[in-house]
Amino acid sequence: MTPPQPTIAKLPVNVRPQLGETIDSYIRRLARANHLKPSYLHCFLCGPPFWQGKPDIERLAAVSGRSAGVLQNALSDATSPRDRVKPNPRALRHHQHQALNRHGADLAVLIQHDALDASMPIRAISEEWEVPKWLVRRVLTPSIFPELSTRRRRNALDTETKKLVTDMITKGMGATEIWTELIDTHSVSTSLALLQIQIRDTTRQHTDPQTS
C-alpha cells in the first residue's frame, strides 16, 4: 500500500501570477515575497532527484494557493508543448491579426518576450506595441494561442550572463553552485545542463592548446 503524500502548506504571502510570465519568474517573485531564497523554493517544488529541473505544477499550486488550472492558463511554460491544446481556427486568426503583423515584424513574439519576467503589465505592453489589451491577453494565453519561438529560447544565456558564468567557472564553481548564484543573486534562470555544457567548453578552451 502506497503511503499518503504529505500535505504541502500554502505560503503566507499570496502572489498573483502575471499572464505570460514563466514559471521561474513566478517562483522568484513568490519566494522573495515570502522571504525565501528562490533556489530553495525551486528545488522544493522539483523534489528529488532533479532538484534543478522543471518545478511540479501541482506542488507550485499548493504553495501558492492557486489552482493548477489557473497557473497553466497564466504561465507561459506551465504546460509542455506535447500537452499544449492545439490552437483552434479562431486562435489562428488572432495570430494573423493586422495589429500583430506591422512593418514585417511578428509582434506576438515580442509581446511574449516582454511578459516573461512579469516586469511589464498588460497595459504597458499594449501601449508599447500599440496592440489592444484584449489581443495582448490572447497572445499571452498559452492554451489558446499558437506556440511561438519564445519559450524555446527561455534558457539561453545572453552575452553578459555568459561572461558572468565564465567568471564563476574560473573561480572553480560547479554547475549547481553557479545555478544557485544566478537564480538567487542575479534573477537569472537557466538549465543545469546548459551550465554543464558551458563549463565543459570553457575548460576545453583553457586546456586545449589549439583553442588558445
Side-chain angles (χ1 to χ4, degrees):
M1 181 176 180
T2 303
Q5 295 295 317
T7 301
I8 299 177
K10 175 181 173 295
L11 290 171
V13 180
N14 185 298
V15 176
R16 182 178 182 179
Q18 185 162 305
L19 188 63
E21 75 173 309
T22 63
I23 292 177
D24 290 333
S25 170
Y26 181 56
I27 289 174
R28 288 196 299 267
R29 295 197 298 118
L30 185 63
R32 286 171 179 147
N34 286 278
H35 306 288
L36 297 171
K37 286 188 175 183
S39 61
Y40 171 83
L41 182 57
H42 183 110
C43 291
F44 172 79
L45 295 174
C46 289
F50 304 111
W51 299 99
Q52 290 81 29
K54 184 173 182 178
D56 182 83
I57 196 68
E58 296 292 342
R59 292 171 72 90
L60 179 56
V63 300
S64 67
R66 308 278 173 171
S67 70
V70 166
L71 296 178
Q72 288 170 343
N73 189 63
L75 302 176
S76 63
D77 55 349
T79 304
S80 63
R82 65 177 177 273
D83 295 328
R84 189 179 298 278
V85 176
K86 185 176 181 180
N88 56 40
R90 181 183 178 188
L92 292 170
R93 285 197 298 273
H94 289 326
H95 180 62
Q96 298 300 323
H97 195 287
Q98 62 180 2
L100 295 175
N101 294 276
R102 297 197 310 273
H103 312 299
D106 189 346
L107 296 185
V109 174
L110 301 177
I111 288 170
Q112 286 188 323
H113 274 286
D114 279 348
L116 290 180
D117 63 357
S119 61
M120 294 180 67
I122 288 176
R123 179 185 294 275
I125 296 175
S126 171
E127 293 174 353
E128 173 74 16
W129 299 110
E130 299 179 356
V131 173
K133 289 193 291 293
W134 70 265
L135 188 53
V136 171
R137 291 190 181 92
R138 291 288 194 279
V139 170
L140 298 179
T141 302
S143 63
I144 65 172
F145 201 79
E147 185 186 9
L148 302 175
S149 59
T150 306
R151 286 168 293 282
R152 298 191 193 104
R153 297 196 301 268
R154 59 180 292 272
N155 280 329
L157 301 177
D158 58 29
T159 302
E160 183 178 348
T161 306
K162 283 183 178 179
K163 183 180 182 304
L164 181 65
V165 171
T166 299
D167 291 341
M168 294 182 193
I169 295 171
T170 303
K171 294 177 182 177
M173 296 173 66
T176 301
E177 291 178 286
I178 295 172
W179 180 88
T180 302
E181 178 75 10
L182 287 176
I183 192 172
D184 287 342
T185 305
H186 303 282
S187 296
V188 173
S189 296
T190 189
S191 70
L192 200 64
L194 194 64
L195 294 175
Q196 290 168 338
I197 291 172
Q198 186 167 345
I199 290 173
R200 181 200 64 193
D201 293 345
T202 302
T203 302
R204 283 179 178 175
Q205 290 174 2
H206 284 83
T207 58
D208 189 347
Q210 294 182 351
T211 60
S212 59

